[in-house]
Amino acid sequence: MRSGVPGFRPERLIEARAARGLTQVALADLSGRKSSNISRWESGEQLPEPEALHAVAKGLNLPVSYFLATPVEHGAAPMFARSMAATSKAMRARVGSRLRWAQDVSLYLQQELDLPAPDVPTLDVRDFLEIRDEDIERVAMECREKWGLGLGPISDVLLVMENAGIIVVKEQIDSGNMDGLSNWSMADGRPYVFLATDKQTCVRSRMDAAHELGHLVLHRGLTERTLYDAAAFKEIERQAFAFAGAFLLPAESFSAEVWSPSLPGFQALKSRWKVSIGAMIMRCANLGIIDDEGKQRLFKHYSAKGWRKAEPLDRDMEPERPRLLGRSIKLLCDERIVTRTQLLDGLRLYAHDVESLCDLPAGFFENKGTVSDIRLKRNGIDAATPIALVDADQIATDNVVRPQRWR
C-alpha cells in the first residue's frame, strides 16, 4: 500500500501548476522539493507526504483541500484559443486551467442558484468545411432574433451573452498573443468564455466576445484534433470572425448606414455601433460594399494614421464587464445562504482567485462581521418574486437567478 496523503488527485496538481504558469522545476524551487518528486506525484506513481503537500500547496497559493477534490468531468469538447500558432502551449494550458476553475465555480453556484438557462443556437455540423458563409449570416441573425436584439447596435455584448446562459470571465493573463478561449462543458451543458484584458479596449473586447460566441455557435461539433491543422485552424478562425461581424453589424441595417465607406465615415459610426473602424472595413468588404482595392487603400491610410495601435474614441468607451458569477456570489452572501468563508471552503480556492475569476472587488471575502448562523426562512420569502441578476433594461431578455431552495 502506497504511503502519502490518501485522496490526493494528481490531475489537480497538473491543473494548478498550469493555472499558475509554472514548470515542474519552478514549482520545485517554490516548494523546496525536487522536480523529480513533483513529476512522480503528477504521474500518480507516488503520493506526496502531508508535509510535502502543504509545501506544494503553499507554493501554488492554494488550500490543501484543492488537491483532494475529485476533478469534474467537463468532456472532450475543444477549447478554442485565439492565435494558436503565436501562443505557447503553456499559456494555452494556463488559460484553459483558469477557465476550468471558473467552470467549477459555476457548478458550485448552480447547487444553490438557478442561473439563466443556456439558450445558444448551434450549427449541427462536425466538419467546418460544411459551413458556408450564408450559414454564418443566417445563424448570426438567428441569435439576434432569439435574444430579441433587433437589427440595431448591441448596447452590451457580455450582458447579452450572460442572459443567454453563457458564463463569461475576464482576466489579465500577461500575454500579448492570446485574446480569448471558449468551451462547452459537458458537466452542465453550458458554454463558457474567457477573455483576456491585456490589450483591452471596449471595441476589441466586444469583438473578442463575439468571436468566441462564433466558435460556440458554429464549431460545437468539432474535435480538438482539427485545431492543430494550420490550414483548418485558419479557416475556423475566419468563420468565427465572419460570425462576429455578422452578429455585431447586421448586413441590412449596417450597410444602410454606411453613407461613406471612408475613414471619417466609419469614425462617425464607431460610437454608435461600438465596433472598431478596422472591423467595419472588413465587414464592408465581406458585404461587397467595397472591393479588394478599396479595402487595401483604406487599410493603407488606416496604418498611416497609426490606428493599428490605437483608434480614435478607444479611450472614450468603457470596456464591458461580466456580471453573472460576481452577482451570484454576492446574492448567496448577502442573503446569508452561505458565509464568505463557507463559500471559499466549498470552492477550494483562495479569495484572490475567486475575486479575479468572478470580477469581484479585491477584499470582498474579508471578514465583515457576518453572522454565520443566520438563514432566511422559506416562509419569509415571496417565491414568486425573482431576484434580478442582469440589467434587463439594457436588452429585451429578462433572465434572473433565484436560490433553488426558495422555489
Side-chain angles (χ1 to χ4, degrees):
M1 184 175 182
R2 293 185 300 171
S3 62
V5 177
F8 170 77
R9 304 302 301 238
E11 312 96 304
R12 299 286 276 180
L13 176 55
I14 295 171
E15 183 180 74
R17 185 171 59 77
R20 298 297 189 223
L22 297 174
T23 64
Q24 291 179 343
V25 173
L27 178 56
D29 289 341
L30 283 173
S31 61
R33 264 45 191 181
K34 295 181 179 179
S35 60
S36 58
N37 285 337
I38 292 173
S39 177
R40 284 193 288 270
W41 297 335
E42 290 188 356
S43 68
E45 296 177 17
Q46 189 180 75
L47 296 177
E49 297 295 332
E51 183 182 353
L53 182 55
H54 276 83
V56 167
K58 183 178 180 180
L60 290 167
N61 201 9
L62 288 166
V64 169
S65 62
Y66 170 88
F67 302 94
L68 307 179
T70 302
V72 175
E73 180 54 56
H74 290 286
M79 286 196 175
F80 293 96
R82 296 274 301 281
S83 306
M84 292 277 281
T87 307
S88 69
K89 183 178 179 181
M91 180 55 67
R92 294 196 301 272
R94 178 186 171 193
V95 176
S97 294
R98 294 197 68 81
L99 183 60
R100 290 298 190 212
W101 285 3
Q103 290 172 330
D104 291 345
V105 170
S106 171
L107 290 172
Y108 175 87
L109 295 175
Q110 289 178 65
Q111 296 176 35
E112 296 288 349
L113 299 173
D114 286 330
L115 303 185
D119 186 25
V120 181
T122 57
L123 286 183
D124 186 19
V125 297
R126 293 193 173 277
D127 188 344
F128 69 94
L129 295 174
E130 298 177 18
I131 302 174
R132 304 168 300 172
D133 286 351
E134 310 91 87
D135 298 324
I136 296 173
E137 294 284 336
R138 174 183 55 79
V139 75
M141 290 305 98
E142 184 179 338
C143 287
R144 277 183 162 262
E145 182 179 356
K146 193 176 188 65
W147 300 335
L149 301 177
L151 295 177
I154 300 172
S155 61
D156 192 320
V157 173
L158 297 192
L159 183 62
V160 167
M161 292 171 61
E162 291 187 315
N163 265 342
I166 302 170
I167 304 296
V168 181
V169 174
K170 293 184 78 171
E171 279 193 318
Q172 182 170 330
I173 60 173
D174 300 320
S175 171
N177 295 322
M178 192 167 186
D179 300 310
L181 193 72
S182 54
N183 173 253
W184 281 91
S185 172
M186 186 184 73
D188 57 358
R190 185 180 292 275
Y192 291 80
V193 167
F194 184 106
L195 299 173
T197 63
D198 299 64
K199 299 180 288 184
Q200 180 174 235
T201 63
C202 177
V203 294
R204 178 165 187 154
S205 176
R206 285 162 59 88
M207 180 58 69
D208 288 343
H211 178 100
E212 296 306 329
L213 176 61
H215 283 311
L216 296 173
V217 171
L218 301 174
H219 303 134
R220 186 177 184 180
L222 271 59
T223 62
E224 186 85 26
R225 182 179 299 179
T226 308
L227 304 183
Y228 292 94
D229 179 282
F233 181 74
K234 184 177 180 179
E235 173 59 15
I236 289 168
E237 283 289 280
R238 186 199 70 81
Q239 291 174 354
F241 273 119
F243 175 93
F247 181 69
L248 294 175
L249 303 169
E252 180 182 350
S253 53
F254 174 67
S255 60
E257 295 190 17
V258 182
W259 55 272
S260 172
S262 62
L263 296 187
F266 292 132
Q267 185 174 339
L269 291 173
K270 181 173 177 177
S271 60
R272 169 170 160 76
W273 289 92
K274 292 199 279 189
V275 174
S276 72
I277 295 169
M280 285 190 276
I281 295 173
M282 289 299 300
R283 182 62 171 154
C284 284
N286 291 338
L287 292 174
I289 297 173
I290 56 176
D291 56 19
D292 286 342
E293 183 180 348
K295 182 180 77 171
Q296 292 174 9
R297 183 172 61 252
L298 284 169
F299 272 123
K300 182 179 180 179
H301 295 156
Y302 181 89
S303 298
K305 289 179 176 291
W307 287 1
R308 291 192 180 275
K309 292 184 178 180
E311 289 186 359
L313 304 178
D314 278 350
R315 295 183 178 180
D316 299 334
M317 301 180 186
E318 190 70 22
E320 298 167 2
R321 298 173 61 181
R323 300 161 170 79
L324 190 52
L325 292 182
R327 289 191 181 178
S328 297
I329 287 176
K330 287 178 181 177
L331 177 62
L332 288 180
C333 294
D334 290 348
E335 300 298 341
R336 309 294 197 270
I337 304 301
V338 294
T339 66
R340 287 167 166 77
T341 300
Q342 289 169 339
L343 194 145
L344 291 176
D345 289 344
L347 294 176
R348 300 173 189 256
L349 294 171
Y350 284 146
H352 65 93
D353 281 313
V354 181
E355 289 166 355
S356 178
L357 290 167
C358 302
D359 199 35
L360 291 165
F364 174 83
F365 287 98
E366 291 178 1
N367 187 354
K368 298 183 179 180
T370 305
V371 180
S372 61
D373 60 351
I374 294 178
R375 293 290 185 275
L376 291 173
K377 296 180 179 179
R378 182 183 179 92
N379 60 9
I381 298 297
D382 181 2
T385 303
I387 293 182
L389 174 68
V390 296
D391 300 325
D393 58 332
Q394 294 191 30
I395 58 174
T397 309
D398 185 17
N399 285 323
V400 298
V401 295
R402 72 185 72 184
Q404 292 179 352
R405 65 181 66 182
W406 293 1
R407 293 179 297 169

PDB file of all heavy atoms in Angstrom, residues 49-82:
ATOM      1  N   GLU A  49       3.785  13.157   0.793  1.00  0.00           N
ATOM      2  CA  GLU A  49       3.567  13.115   2.230  1.00  0.00           C
ATOM      3  C   GLU A  49       2.876  14.423   2.661  1.00  0.00           C
ATOM      4  O   GLU A  49       2.932  15.420   1.939  1.00  0.00           O
ATOM      5  CB  GLU A  49       4.900  12.951   2.975  1.00  0.00           C
ATOM      6  CG  GLU A  49       5.619  11.652   2.682  1.00  0.00           C
ATOM      7  CD  GLU A  49       4.837  10.428   3.173  1.00  0.00           C
ATOM      8  OE1 GLU A  49       4.077  10.580   4.154  1.00  0.00           O
ATOM      9  OE2 GLU A  49       4.977   9.352   2.569  1.00  0.00           O
ATOM     10  N   PRO A  50       2.221  14.419   3.826  1.00  0.00           N
ATOM     11  CA  PRO A  50       1.493  15.630   4.251  1.00  0.00           C
ATOM     12  C   PRO A  50       2.343  16.892   4.232  1.00  0.00           C
ATOM     13  O   PRO A  50       1.903  17.937   3.750  1.00  0.00           O
ATOM     14  CB  PRO A  50       1.041  15.274   5.670  1.00  0.00           C
ATOM     15  CG  PRO A  50       0.899  13.783   5.645  1.00  0.00           C
ATOM     16  CD  PRO A  50       2.003  13.298   4.755  1.00  0.00           C
ATOM     17  N   GLU A  51       3.564  16.813   4.737  1.00  0.00           N
ATOM     18  CA  GLU A  51       4.432  17.995   4.770  1.00  0.00           C
ATOM     19  C   GLU A  51       4.736  18.480   3.357  1.00  0.00           C
ATOM     20  O   GLU A  51       4.740  19.685   3.081  1.00  0.00           O
ATOM     21  CB  GLU A  51       5.728  17.665   5.513  1.00  0.00           C
ATOM     22  CG  GLU A  51       6.657  18.873   5.651  1.00  0.00           C
ATOM     23  CD  GLU A  51       7.963  18.512   6.343  1.00  0.00           C
ATOM     24  OE1 GLU A  51       8.089  17.363   6.821  1.00  0.00           O
ATOM     25  OE2 GLU A  51       8.852  19.390   6.386  1.00  0.00           O
ATOM     26  N   ALA A  52       4.986  17.545   2.440  1.00  0.00           N
ATOM     27  CA  ALA A  52       5.297  17.912   1.062  1.00  0.00           C
ATOM     28  C   ALA A  52       4.086  18.536   0.378  1.00  0.00           C
ATOM     29  O   ALA A  52       4.218  19.513  -0.371  1.00  0.00           O
ATOM     30  CB  ALA A  52       5.760  16.676   0.293  1.00  0.00           C
ATOM     31  N   LEU A  53       2.908  17.982   0.626  1.00  0.00           N
ATOM     32  CA  LEU A  53       1.703  18.531   0.007  1.00  0.00           C
ATOM     33  C   LEU A  53       1.431  19.945   0.511  1.00  0.00           C
ATOM     34  O   LEU A  53       1.033  20.830  -0.268  1.00  0.00           O
ATOM     35  CB  LEU A  53       0.500  17.627   0.296  1.00  0.00           C
ATOM     36  CG  LEU A  53      -0.823  18.073  -0.340  1.00  0.00           C
ATOM     37  CD1 LEU A  53      -0.678  18.236  -1.847  1.00  0.00           C
ATOM     38  CD2 LEU A  53      -1.934  17.084  -0.009  1.00  0.00           C
ATOM     39  N   HIS A  54       1.665  20.188   1.792  1.00  0.00           N
ATOM     40  CA  HIS A  54       1.486  21.537   2.329  1.00  0.00           C
ATOM     41  C   HIS A  54       2.482  22.507   1.682  1.00  0.00           C
ATOM     42  O   HIS A  54       2.124  23.659   1.391  1.00  0.00           O
ATOM     43  CB  HIS A  54       1.664  21.536   3.853  1.00  0.00           C
ATOM     44  CG  HIS A  54       0.435  21.153   4.600  1.00  0.00           C
ATOM     45  ND1 HIS A  54       0.075  19.829   4.809  1.00  0.00           N
ATOM     46  CD2 HIS A  54      -0.547  21.905   5.174  1.00  0.00           C
ATOM     47  CE1 HIS A  54      -1.064  19.792   5.489  1.00  0.00           C
ATOM     48  NE2 HIS A  54      -1.462  21.030   5.719  1.00  0.00           N
ATOM     49  N   ALA A  55       3.694  22.058   1.450  1.00  0.00           N
ATOM     50  CA  ALA A  55       4.704  22.916   0.825  1.00  0.00           C
ATOM     51  C   ALA A  55       4.322  23.252  -0.617  1.00  0.00           C
ATOM     52  O   ALA A  55       4.466  24.393  -1.065  1.00  0.00           O
ATOM     53  CB  ALA A  55       6.068  22.232   0.865  1.00  0.00           C
ATOM     54  N   VAL A  56       3.831  22.254  -1.336  1.00  0.00           N
ATOM     55  CA  VAL A  56       3.409  22.472  -2.719  1.00  0.00           C
ATOM     56  C   VAL A  56       2.195  23.389  -2.767  1.00  0.00           C
ATOM     57  O   VAL A  56       2.110  24.298  -3.606  1.00  0.00           O
ATOM     58  CB  VAL A  56       3.105  21.123  -3.413  1.00  0.00           C
ATOM     59  CG1 VAL A  56       2.374  21.341  -4.737  1.00  0.00           C
ATOM     60  CG2 VAL A  56       4.392  20.349  -3.650  1.00  0.00           C
ATOM     61  N   ALA A  57       1.246  23.150  -1.868  1.00  0.00           N
ATOM     62  CA  ALA A  57       0.047  23.996  -1.820  1.00  0.00           C
ATOM     63  C   ALA A  57       0.427  25.448  -1.531  1.00  0.00           C
ATOM     64  O   ALA A  57      -0.120  26.382  -2.137  1.00  0.00           O
ATOM     65  CB  ALA A  57      -0.920  23.473  -0.761  1.00  0.00           C
ATOM     66  N   LYS A  58       1.382  25.637  -0.633  1.00  0.00           N
ATOM     67  CA  LYS A  58       1.837  26.995  -0.313  1.00  0.00           C
ATOM     68  C   LYS A  58       2.507  27.630  -1.523  1.00  0.00           C
ATOM     69  O   LYS A  58       2.300  28.808  -1.836  1.00  0.00           O
ATOM     70  CB  LYS A  58       2.790  26.955   0.880  1.00  0.00           C
ATOM     71  CG  LYS A  58       3.261  28.337   1.318  1.00  0.00           C
ATOM     72  CD  LYS A  58       4.174  28.246   2.548  1.00  0.00           C
ATOM     73  CE  LYS A  58       4.637  29.641   2.983  1.00  0.00           C
ATOM     74  NZ  LYS A  58       5.537  29.560   4.176  1.00  0.00           N
ATOM     75  N   GLY A  59       3.322  26.835  -2.242  1.00  0.00           N
ATOM     76  CA  GLY A  59       3.999  27.346  -3.430  1.00  0.00           C
ATOM     77  C   GLY A  59       3.031  27.754  -4.519  1.00  0.00           C
ATOM     78  O   GLY A  59       3.284  28.709  -5.267  1.00  0.00           O
ATOM     79  N   LEU A  60       1.923  27.046  -4.615  1.00  0.00           N
ATOM     80  CA  LEU A  60       0.909  27.345  -5.624  1.00  0.00           C
ATOM     81  C   LEU A  60      -0.162  28.297  -5.109  1.00  0.00           C
ATOM     82  O   LEU A  60      -1.072  28.669  -5.863  1.00  0.00           O
ATOM     83  CB  LEU A  60       0.248  26.038  -6.092  1.00  0.00           C
ATOM     84  CG  LEU A  60       1.142  25.121  -6.936  1.00  0.00           C
ATOM     85  CD1 LEU A  60       0.516  23.733  -7.070  1.00  0.00           C
ATOM     86  CD2 LEU A  60       1.395  25.726  -8.313  1.00  0.00           C
ATOM     87  N   ASN A  61      -0.082  28.667  -3.839  1.00  0.00           N
ATOM     88  CA  ASN A  61      -1.046  29.569  -3.200  1.00  0.00           C
ATOM     89  C   ASN A  61      -2.469  29.026  -3.323  1.00  0.00           C
ATOM     90  O   ASN A  61      -3.391  29.726  -3.763  1.00  0.00           O
ATOM     91  CB  ASN A  61      -0.954  30.967  -3.805  1.00  0.00           C
ATOM     92  CG  ASN A  61      -1.532  32.034  -2.886  1.00  0.00           C
ATOM     93  OD1 ASN A  61      -1.859  31.763  -1.731  1.00  0.00           O
ATOM     94  ND2 ASN A  61      -1.684  33.243  -3.396  1.00  0.00           N
ATOM     95  N   LEU A  62      -2.626  27.765  -2.911  1.00  0.00           N
ATOM     96  CA  LEU A  62      -3.920  27.095  -2.934  1.00  0.00           C
ATOM     97  C   LEU A  62      -4.098  26.322  -1.639  1.00  0.00           C
ATOM     98  O   LEU A  62      -3.113  25.882  -1.027  1.00  0.00           O
ATOM     99  CB  LEU A  62      -4.011  26.119  -4.120  1.00  0.00           C
ATOM    100  CG  LEU A  62      -4.139  26.744  -5.510  1.00  0.00           C
ATOM    101  CD1 LEU A  62      -3.861  25.691  -6.584  1.00  0.00           C
ATOM    102  CD2 LEU A  62      -5.530  27.339  -5.705  1.00  0.00           C
ATOM    103  N   PRO A  63      -5.342  26.139  -1.193  1.00  0.00           N
ATOM    104  CA  PRO A  63      -5.561  25.318   0.009  1.00  0.00           C
ATOM    105  C   PRO A  63      -5.265  23.852  -0.275  1.00  0.00           C
ATOM    106  O   PRO A  63      -5.419  23.385  -1.417  1.00  0.00           O
ATOM    107  CB  PRO A  63      -7.035  25.547   0.322  1.00  0.00           C
ATOM    108  CG  PRO A  63      -7.657  25.953  -0.969  1.00  0.00           C
ATOM    109  CD  PRO A  63      -6.606  26.702  -1.725  1.00  0.00           C
ATOM    110  N   VAL A  64      -4.850  23.126   0.725  1.00  0.00           N
ATOM    111  CA  VAL A  64      -4.562  21.692   0.563  1.00  0.00           C
ATOM    112  C   VAL A  64      -5.802  20.953   0.071  1.00  0.00           C
ATOM    113  O   VAL A  64      -5.711  20.011  -0.722  1.00  0.00           O
ATOM    114  CB  VAL A  64      -4.065  21.103   1.903  1.00  0.00           C
ATOM    115  CG1 VAL A  64      -4.012  19.582   1.827  1.00  0.00           C
ATOM    116  CG2 VAL A  64      -2.696  21.670   2.249  1.00  0.00           C
ATOM    117  N   SER A  65      -6.974  21.389   0.503  1.00  0.00           N
ATOM    118  CA  SER A  65      -8.209  20.702   0.108  1.00  0.00           C
ATOM    119  C   SER A  65      -8.415  20.696  -1.402  1.00  0.00           C
ATOM    120  O   SER A  65      -9.093  19.811  -1.929  1.00  0.00           O
ATOM    121  CB  SER A  65      -9.418  21.367   0.786  1.00  0.00           C
ATOM    122  OG  SER A  65      -9.544  22.720   0.380  1.00  0.00           O
ATOM    123  N   TYR A  66      -7.823  21.669  -2.102  1.00  0.00           N
ATOM    124  CA  TYR A  66      -7.947  21.710  -3.558  1.00  0.00           C
ATOM    125  C   TYR A  66      -7.441  20.423  -4.187  1.00  0.00           C
ATOM    126  O   TYR A  66      -8.021  19.911  -5.158  1.00  0.00           O
ATOM    127  CB  TYR A  66      -7.166  22.914  -4.107  1.00  0.00           C
ATOM    128  CG  TYR A  66      -7.042  22.918  -5.612  1.00  0.00           C
ATOM    129  CD1 TYR A  66      -8.014  23.500  -6.412  1.00  0.00           C
ATOM    130  CD2 TYR A  66      -5.952  22.312  -6.241  1.00  0.00           C
ATOM    131  CE1 TYR A  66      -7.908  23.495  -7.790  1.00  0.00           C
ATOM    132  CE2 TYR A  66      -5.836  22.291  -7.610  1.00  0.00           C
ATOM    133  CZ  TYR A  66      -6.820  22.883  -8.393  1.00  0.00           C
ATOM    134  OH  TYR A  66      -6.718  22.846  -9.768  1.00  0.00           O
ATOM    135  N   PHE A  67      -6.361  19.890  -3.657  1.00  0.00           N
ATOM    136  CA  PHE A  67      -5.702  18.718  -4.252  1.00  0.00           C
ATOM    137  C   PHE A  67      -6.388  17.403  -3.885  1.00  0.00           C
ATOM    138  O   PHE A  67      -5.981  16.348  -4.365  1.00  0.00           O
ATOM    139  CB  PHE A  67      -4.236  18.680  -3.827  1.00  0.00           C
ATOM    140  CG  PHE A  67      -3.484  19.920  -4.216  1.00  0.00           C
ATOM    141  CD1 PHE A  67      -3.351  20.982  -3.317  1.00  0.00           C
ATOM    142  CD2 PHE A  67      -2.934  20.057  -5.474  1.00  0.00           C
ATOM    143  CE1 PHE A  67      -2.670  22.135  -3.671  1.00  0.00           C
ATOM    144  CE2 PHE A  67      -2.266  21.208  -5.848  1.00  0.00           C
ATOM    145  CZ  PHE A  67      -2.140  22.251  -4.935  1.00  0.00           C
ATOM    146  N   LEU A  68      -7.397  17.475  -3.043  1.00  0.00           N
ATOM    147  CA  LEU A  68      -8.097  16.266  -2.608  1.00  0.00           C
ATOM    148  C   LEU A  68      -9.475  16.149  -3.255  1.00  0.00           C
ATOM    149  O   LEU A  68     -10.179  15.154  -3.031  1.00  0.00           O
ATOM    150  CB  LEU A  68      -8.240  16.261  -1.082  1.00  0.00           C
ATOM    151  CG  LEU A  68      -6.937  16.460  -0.288  1.00  0.00           C
ATOM    152  CD1 LEU A  68      -7.234  16.453   1.203  1.00  0.00           C
ATOM    153  CD2 LEU A  68      -5.904  15.400  -0.645  1.00  0.00           C
ATOM    154  N   ALA A  69      -9.855  17.135  -4.043  1.00  0.00           N
ATOM    155  CA  ALA A  69     -11.187  17.124  -4.663  1.00  0.00           C
ATOM    156  C   ALA A  69     -11.174  16.313  -5.951  1.00  0.00           C
ATOM    157  O   ALA A  69     -10.228  16.381  -6.744  1.00  0.00           O
ATOM    158  CB  ALA A  69     -11.642  18.556  -4.959  1.00  0.00           C
ATOM    159  N   THR A  70     -12.230  15.549  -6.168  1.00  0.00           N
ATOM    160  CA  THR A  70     -12.358  14.783  -7.405  1.00  0.00           C
ATOM    161  C   THR A  70     -12.585  15.734  -8.572  1.00  0.00           C
ATOM    162  O   THR A  70     -13.511  16.548  -8.532  1.00  0.00           O
ATOM    163  CB  THR A  70     -13.533  13.797  -7.322  1.00  0.00           C
ATOM    164  OG1 THR A  70     -13.331  12.923  -6.207  1.00  0.00           O
ATOM    165  CG2 THR A  70     -13.658  12.990  -8.605  1.00  0.00           C
ATOM    166  N   PRO A  71     -11.765  15.672  -9.617  1.00  0.00           N
ATOM    167  CA  PRO A  71     -11.945  16.580 -10.758  1.00  0.00           C
ATOM    168  C   PRO A  71     -13.293  16.360 -11.434  1.00  0.00           C
ATOM    169  O   PRO A  71     -13.774  15.241 -11.546  1.00  0.00           O
ATOM    170  CB  PRO A  71     -10.792  16.215 -11.701  1.00  0.00           C
ATOM    171  CG  PRO A  71      -9.794  15.516 -10.838  1.00  0.00           C
ATOM    172  CD  PRO A  71     -10.584  14.805  -9.789  1.00  0.00           C
ATOM    173  N   VAL A  72     -13.891  17.447 -11.868  1.00  0.00           N
ATOM    174  CA  VAL A  72     -15.157  17.376 -12.595  1.00  0.00           C
ATOM    175  C   VAL A  72     -14.880  16.959 -14.029  1.00  0.00           C
ATOM    176  O   VAL A  72     -13.899  17.399 -14.638  1.00  0.00           O
ATOM    177  CB  VAL A  72     -15.874  18.742 -12.579  1.00  0.00           C
ATOM    178  CG1 VAL A  72     -17.135  18.713 -13.432  1.00  0.00           C
ATOM    179  CG2 VAL A  72     -16.202  19.142 -11.150  1.00  0.00           C
ATOM    180  N   GLU A  73     -15.731  16.109 -14.584  1.00  0.00           N
ATOM    181  CA  GLU A  73     -15.586  15.696 -15.966  1.00  0.00           C
ATOM    182  C   GLU A  73     -16.308  16.692 -16.861  1.00  0.00           C
ATOM    183  O   GLU A  73     -17.535  16.707 -16.939  1.00  0.00           O
ATOM    184  CB  GLU A  73     -16.170  14.283 -16.152  1.00  0.00           C
ATOM    185  CG  GLU A  73     -16.071  13.769 -17.579  1.00  0.00           C
ATOM    186  CD  GLU A  73     -14.669  13.809 -18.131  1.00  0.00           C
ATOM    187  OE1 GLU A  73     -13.763  13.228 -17.504  1.00  0.00           O
ATOM    188  OE2 GLU A  73     -14.480  14.460 -19.182  1.00  0.00           O
ATOM    189  N   HIS A  74     -15.536  17.536 -17.523  1.00  0.00           N
ATOM    190  CA  HIS A  74     -16.127  18.561 -18.387  1.00  0.00           C
ATOM    191  C   HIS A  74     -16.282  18.098 -19.828  1.00  0.00           C
ATOM    192  O   HIS A  74     -16.850  18.814 -20.648  1.00  0.00           O
ATOM    193  CB  HIS A  74     -15.299  19.839 -18.347  1.00  0.00           C
ATOM    194  CG  HIS A  74     -15.393  20.570 -17.041  1.00  0.00           C
ATOM    195  ND1 HIS A  74     -16.519  21.284 -16.659  1.00  0.00           N
ATOM    196  CD2 HIS A  74     -14.511  20.675 -16.010  1.00  0.00           C
ATOM    197  CE1 HIS A  74     -16.316  21.820 -15.466  1.00  0.00           C
ATOM    198  NE2 HIS A  74     -15.115  21.469 -15.043  1.00  0.00           N
ATOM    199  N   GLY A  75     -15.768  16.915 -20.163  1.00  0.00           N
ATOM    200  CA  GLY A  75     -15.929  16.390 -21.506  1.00  0.00           C
ATOM    201  C   GLY A  75     -14.769  16.736 -22.414  1.00  0.00           C
ATOM    202  O   GLY A  75     -13.825  17.430 -22.027  1.00  0.00           O
ATOM    203  N   ALA A  76     -14.868  16.261 -23.652  1.00  0.00           N
ATOM    204  CA  ALA A  76     -13.769  16.401 -24.608  1.00  0.00           C
ATOM    205  C   ALA A  76     -13.994  17.507 -25.619  1.00  0.00           C
ATOM    206  O   ALA A  76     -13.276  17.595 -26.617  1.00  0.00           O
ATOM    207  CB  ALA A  76     -13.563  15.075 -25.338  1.00  0.00           C
ATOM    208  N   ALA A  77     -14.987  18.362 -25.400  1.00  0.00           N
ATOM    209  CA  ALA A  77     -15.224  19.460 -26.338  1.00  0.00           C
ATOM    210  C   ALA A  77     -13.981  20.340 -26.407  1.00  0.00           C
ATOM    211  O   ALA A  77     -13.366  20.632 -25.380  1.00  0.00           O
ATOM    212  CB  ALA A  77     -16.434  20.286 -25.901  1.00  0.00           C
ATOM    213  N   PRO A  78     -13.575  20.760 -27.603  1.00  0.00           N
ATOM    214  CA  PRO A  78     -12.338  21.531 -27.728  1.00  0.00           C
ATOM    215  C   PRO A  78     -12.417  22.895 -27.062  1.00  0.00           C
ATOM    216  O   PRO A  78     -13.497  23.469 -26.915  1.00  0.00           O
ATOM    217  CB  PRO A  78     -12.166  21.682 -29.247  1.00  0.00           C
ATOM    218  CG  PRO A  78     -13.548  21.538 -29.804  1.00  0.00           C
ATOM    219  CD  PRO A  78     -14.249  20.571 -28.902  1.00  0.00           C
ATOM    220  N   MET A  79     -11.257  23.391 -26.637  1.00  0.00           N
ATOM    221  CA  MET A  79     -11.137  24.763 -26.185  1.00  0.00           C
ATOM    222  C   MET A  79     -10.593  25.566 -27.354  1.00  0.00           C
ATOM    223  O   MET A  79      -9.493  25.302 -27.833  1.00  0.00           O
ATOM    224  CB  MET A  79     -10.218  24.865 -24.976  1.00  0.00           C
ATOM    225  CG  MET A  79     -10.842  24.362 -23.694  1.00  0.00           C
ATOM    226  SD  MET A  79      -9.903  24.932 -22.257  1.00  0.00           S
ATOM    227  CE  MET A  79     -10.956  24.333 -20.916  1.00  0.00           C
ATOM    228  N   PHE A  80     -11.374  26.514 -27.815  1.00  0.00           N
ATOM    229  CA  PHE A  80     -10.970  27.330 -28.945  1.00  0.00           C
ATOM    230  C   PHE A  80     -10.139  28.502 -28.454  1.00  0.00           C
ATOM    231  O   PHE A  80     -10.655  29.414 -27.816  1.00  0.00           O
ATOM    232  CB  PHE A  80     -12.195  27.826 -29.713  1.00  0.00           C
ATOM    233  CG  PHE A  80     -12.949  26.722 -30.393  1.00  0.00           C
ATOM    234  CD1 PHE A  80     -14.046  26.143 -29.776  1.00  0.00           C
ATOM    235  CD2 PHE A  80     -12.561  26.254 -31.633  1.00  0.00           C
ATOM    236  CE1 PHE A  80     -14.744  25.123 -30.388  1.00  0.00           C
ATOM    237  CE2 PHE A  80     -13.252  25.233 -32.254  1.00  0.00           C
ATOM    238  CZ  PHE A  80     -14.343  24.668 -31.630  1.00  0.00           C
ATOM    239  N   ALA A  81      -8.838  28.466 -28.741  1.00  0.00           N
ATOM    240  CA  ALA A  81      -7.935  29.527 -28.314  1.00  0.00           C
ATOM    241  C   ALA A  81      -7.537  30.371 -29.507  1.00  0.00           C
ATOM    242  O   ALA A  81      -7.136  29.843 -30.544  1.00  0.00           O
ATOM    243  CB  ALA A  81      -6.691  28.942 -27.650  1.00  0.00           C
ATOM    244  N   ARG A  82      -7.653  31.695 -29.362  1.00  0.00           N
ATOM    245  CA  ARG A  82      -7.222  32.595 -30.421  1.00  0.00           C
ATOM    246  C   ARG A  82      -5.704  32.518 -30.570  1.00  0.00           C
ATOM    247  O   ARG A  82      -4.967  32.278 -29.623  1.00  0.00           O
ATOM    248  CB  ARG A  82      -7.626  34.027 -30.076  1.00  0.00           C
ATOM    249  CG  ARG A  82      -9.117  34.263 -29.990  1.00  0.00           C
ATOM    250  CD  ARG A  82      -9.699  34.580 -31.331  1.00  0.00           C
ATOM    251  NE  ARG A  82      -9.083  35.763 -31.908  1.00  0.00           N
ATOM    252  CZ  ARG A  82      -9.407  37.007 -31.558  1.00  0.00           C
ATOM    253  NH1 ARG A  82     -10.345  37.216 -30.663  1.00  0.00           N
ATOM    254  NH2 ARG A  82      -8.809  38.038 -32.124  1.00  0.00           N
TER     255      ARG A  82
END
